[in-house]
Structures are given as structure tokens and as C-alpha cells.
Amino acid sequence: MAMRKKRTNDPEGMRRRVLDVADDSFQARGYHASSLGDLMAAAGVTGGALHHHFPTKKALALAVIEERVAAAVRETWIDPVLAAPSAREGVRVVFEAVAAELERQGYVRGCPLNNLAHELSLADDEFRSALARIFANWRQAIADKMRADQPDGGADPERFAALVVAAYSGAMSMAKTAQDAGVLRACLRGLESFEPSPSQGRLTAKRRRRVLSRAKIG
Amino acid sequence: MAMRKKRTNDPEGMRRRVLDVADDSFQARGYHASSLGDLMAAAGVTGGALHHHFPTKKALALAVIEERVAAAVRETWIDPVLAAPSAREGVRVVFEAVAAELERQGYVRGCPLNNLAHELSLADDEFRSALARIFANWRQAIADKMRADQPDGGADPERFAALVVAAYSGAMSMAKTAQDAGVLRACLRGLESFEPSPSQGRLTAKRRRRVLSRAKIG
DNA sequence: TTATAAACAGACCGGTTGTCCTGTTTTGTC
DNA sequence: GACAAAACAGGACAACCGGTCTGTTTATAA
């Protein structure tokens, strides 16, 4: 006797499951190398259901970008930086946290935002602008935090933010290609060794000494 | 009367033409989004000829990486840095030359090495190691130049090189996504603003002139 | 000239891709 | 319960992909 098969509609849950699998596959294999058939199988979803929530592959990718990638940047970068005592300290915390996490899991998948940005920016303008917006928010959060640190301005906040995001993105790119997170720490230290360390009372002399001696320590 | 059709075997020329088209398409559309059919049509090459020189698509991509991408890094980065009076000056020259070139042509395709690195590093280990080698040579050239500048050491050469390559890679990533080369200059200035900036007196004007003429030649 | 291999031409094929389409079931509303 | 809309199932399909195969032409060397 055949089992009575019952179905429970769970549109939000199904949408979430599809998004989970798509995000994971896009990051691991890329957009073009991820087939909808693979995603359907991995998510346990039929073609009809997938098509109901995401009419096209592009729509699915756009949802991944706007919901998952943006959230990833927010959670691993924006929130920690805002919660840190200063922008510079926040940057340090994030770099080291990411490096530690990568070394823990033993492989490097790269930055979610950069991964998709490289493959999709030139392919479609909707992709491009969605990804550009995330980059802009990322930089602005760091620049705003830096402005809050010292309202009368030390280094230029926009330049600093651009450099930080660029250094991180590029370091992750190298780490992914070499499958070695060490370059992340090298970049962080390179970033720190240059700090002008603005007016902070008696800490200044100490820091300067550290910078000079660091060269000999190597 | 049908024209007498003559054929001239030109294996090197045909190989070069295929490589040209493949490199261009891989950069503009990516590896997976480039079909061999498109490449054949664009290069005016038949399937038999293509298969004769490159048995598989992977072999073609590997040749593009090792011959074209590596050459691009050498020509736009390694050679100019080695020719510059110092590593820092070389970095400045390259950043500004690339920014100027991008603004001249009106769009940003991104860094050839990073473009392929993101799409192919996780896909295949041969791709990955070939790309990693180019990254390593790039960094080492900068580090070596820096060591030659002041043998008794200033900042740590490896850290500095890693930071420079990362900042450039990430800046190009953002520039590509935003389709705006401005962030390249922002990162360069961010990089420079941290420099201890050793005595530069009246040499500055002279250096700047050399930089400008190089950009026109390049 | 002749043999021999490299260089090239072009058709062919199995498998995959993204999308569309027609039904069926569940859910919400009156 | 009636009814409409949403949620889901699953097959069909045309286009395309990368690789292979057979055959022909050109260059090379004996």
C-alpha cells in the first residue's frame, strides 16, 4: 500500500533553502559553473518550485547578491567595525578574525563579494550596480567610523576606507589563489606599520619606536 | 568558375590568433561564459585547427594564463617597477599609469590576473598553481626592488610588496565593479599618505616629469 | 618523386543547459 | 463549501556546449 503523501507549503522556507544552496554553489563554483539542475538536486527542490520563486537564473543570483552577499559583508565587516573602539582597531580585529577562521577551516574560498563581482560585473549591469552598492556601503561604513573617531580629521577617511577595502579584497584574492591565509596577516601588518598614529598622548613615542624596530625584527 | 583556393600553413600565427581571441574573451566574459564556438568564429579558425593547437579548453586557458596573463603582469608591473628609481616610486608610476589608461579608454576590465584567479582558482588545481606563481613573482619583484633600494632595510619588503599587490588588486576589483578608475588613485594616495616620505626636496618635479612621459610611451 | 608527419577542414555526437509549459495540490477568503 | 490564487510537481524542448572523428591539404625530408 502506497504511503499517503502529504505536502506542506512552505514558501519562505523553500526560498531560503534555494538561496542557501545557490549562495554556497556560486561561491564555491561560480555563477556560470553552477547549473540549476545541480542546485535543484542539492536543495531538494523541483523545477516548478524553483521557477516559481526565481523566474530566471539571473533573478536568483540577484537575490543572492542583495540578500546573502550584502549580509555577509555586513556581518563580517560593517558590524564588527562599528562595534570596535576605533576604525583602525576594527580593521585589525576583522583581518585577524578572518585569517584565524580561514586557518581553522583549512581552505580559502575568497571574499563572497569579490568572487561574484569579478565574474558578474561585466556580464550584466544590474549585477554590477548591485555589487557596486555593497562595495560603497562597505567603504562608507569604515569612513564614517573613522570620522567618528576624530571629527577634526586625521588621515582622509575616504582614502583610508578605500585602501582598507582594497587591501582586504586583494589579500583575499591572493589567499584564495595560494590557498594560504598568511598573506592576510602580512597585509594587515603592512597596513599597521605605516600608521601615522595621530595625537594620542604618550602612546605616540611608543608606537614610533615599535615601527622603527619592526624593520629590524622583520 | 570557382576560385582556386590555396592554403598557407601558419601554425605559429594561428596559435597566436587563437590566443589573442581567447585572452580577450576570457577577460571580457570570463572562462565559462566563453564558448569555443565563439572563439572559433572570432578568430576565424575551424574546429580542427583549434583542437590541433589546444586539445581541450583547459589547455587553451592554461596557455592564456602562462603566456598572456603572466606577460601582462610583467609588462605593466614588474618591468616598470624595476626600471623606476625606487620601489615606492615605481608603485606610484604604475598606479597612475594604469589609472590614466583606464580613464582614457572609458571602461574598466579589471586586472587580468585577478579576473582569471577568481574564476579558476577553486575550479582546478593546475589553474590555481599557475596563477599563484604569477602572484608570487609579482610580489617578489617588488620586494626585491625594495631590498635593492636600501639594503639595510626600511619597512619589511615582503609586507610592503604584499600590501601593494593587494591594494592594487582590490582597487582594480572595485574600479571594475564601479566602472570608475578613481578608486585606484584614492588607494595610491592612501598608500602614500602613510609613507614616512624621506627627503624628497626638489627632485620631486623631475621625477614627476619622467612619470608623465612614461605613461604616454606605455 | 615519394613517404611521412604536421596542419587544417568540417561534420558529428552525447550530454547539458536554462526556460517554458501543463497539470495538481495546498492555502486563504468569502 | 466554493472559488481564486499561490505553491509546487515534473516533463518537454530547442539551443548549445566541448570533444571526437574522419578526411584533405600542406610542408618536410629522404
Side-chain angles (χ1 to χ4, degrees), chain A residues 58-156:
Chain A
K58 172 179 169 177
L60 173 58
L62 223 38
V64 167
I65 291 172
E66 283 165 353
E67 299 178 30
R68 300 310 174 96
V69 175
V73 171
R74 201 182 316 121
E75 286 161 19
T76 72
W77 260 100
I78 297 180
D79 289 345
V81 164
L82 293 184
S86 73
R88 290 180 195 278
E89 180 65 16
V91 168
R92 220 207 52 180
V93 167
V94 173
F95 262 83
E96 291 192 348
V98 171
E101 171 66 12
L102 292 180
E103 283 161 0
R104 194 190 60 81
Q105 66 188 18
Y107 62 92
V108 185
R109 271 197 172 182
C111 168
L113 176 56
N114 277 276
N115 286 346
L116 291 187
H118 271 91
E119 189 178 3
L120 301 179
S121 281
L122 298 185
D124 184 283
D125 208 65
E126 281 189 73
F127 284 151
R128 195 193 58 73
S129 60
L131 293 159
R133 204 175 311 130
I134 301 176
F135 266 121
N137 288 342
W138 183 2
R139 276 184 301 174
Q140 196 177 32
I142 296 176
D144 287 348
K145 178 70 177 180
M146 200 184 182
R147 269 187 287 267
D149 290 350
Q150 35 188 14
D152 49 347
D156 181 75

Side-chain angles (χ1 to χ4, degrees), chain B residues 93-159:
Chain B
V93 166
V94 173
F95 262 83
E96 292 192 348
V98 170
E101 172 65 12
L102 293 180
E103 283 161 359
R104 193 189 63 79
Q105 67 187 20
Y107 62 91
V108 185
R109 272 198 172 183
C111 168
L113 176 56
N114 278 276
N115 286 346
L116 291 187
H118 272 91
E119 189 178 2
L120 301 179
S121 280
L122 298 185
D124 185 282
D125 208 65
E126 282 189 73
F127 284 152
R128 208 207 86 248
S129 60
L131 294 160
R133 204 174 312 130
I134 301 177
F135 267 120
N137 288 341
W138 183 3
R139 276 184 302 175
Q140 196 175 33
I142 296 175
D144 287 348
K145 178 70 178 181
M146 199 182 182
R147 268 188 287 266
D149 291 348
Q150 36 187 13
D152 49 347
D156 181 77
E158 265 73 26
R159 285 183 196 167

Side-chain angles (χ1 to χ4, degrees), chain A residues 27-29 32-33 88 108-109 114-115 117-119 121-122 128 131-132 135 139 155 159-160 162-163 165-167 169-171 173-174 176-179 183 186-187 189-191 194-196 214-215 218, chain B residues 27-29 32-33 88 108-109 114-115 117-119 121-122 128 131-132 135 139 153-156 159-160 162-163 165-167 169-171 173-174 176-179 183 186-187 189-191 194-196:
Chain A
Q27 292 300 332
R29 272 163 271 181
H32 287 102
R88 290 180 195 278
V108 185
R109 271 197 172 182
N114 277 276
N115 286 346
H118 271 91
E119 189 178 3
S121 281
L122 298 185
R128 195 193 58 73
L131 293 159
F135 266 121
R139 276 184 301 174
R159 285 182 196 169
F160 178 75
L163 179 63
V165 173
S169 297
S173 176
M174 275 187 282
K176 176 182 178 180
T177 305
Q179 282 296 302
V183 67
C187 285
R189 279 167 195 152
L191 229 37
F194 285 137
E195 288 186 18
R214 188 192 309 281
Chain B
Q27 292 299 332
R29 274 163 269 180
H32 287 103
R88 289 181 195 276
V108 185
R109 272 198 172 183
N114 278 276
N115 286 346
H118 272 91
E119 189 178 2
S121 280
L122 298 185
R128 208 207 86 248
L131 294 160
F135 267 120
R139 276 184 302 175
D156 181 77
R159 285 183 196 167
F160 177 74
L163 178 63
V165 172
S169 297
S173 176
M174 276 188 281
K176 176 182 177 179
T177 305
Q179 282 297 301
V183 67
C187 286
R189 280 168 197 150
L191 228 37
F194 288 136
E195 292 183 14

Side-chain angles (χ1 to χ4, degrees), chain A residues 36-66:
Chain A
L36 294 182
D38 293 342
L39 299 184
M40 282 163 46
V45 169
T46 64
L50 176 61
H51 182 262
H52 176 73
H53 291 281
F54 306 100
T56 65
K57 192 182 182 184
K58 172 179 169 177
L60 173 58
L62 223 38
V64 167
I65 291 172
E66 283 165 353

Side-chain angles (χ1 to χ4, degrees), chain A residues 4 41 49 56 73 138 156 166 174 188 192 200 209 213 216:
Chain A
R4 200 96 174 96
T56 65
V73 171
W138 183 2
D156 181 75
M174 275 187 282
L188 172 61
E192 285 177 329
Q200 296 201 203
R209 232 179 287 126
S213 61
K216 295 178 183 175

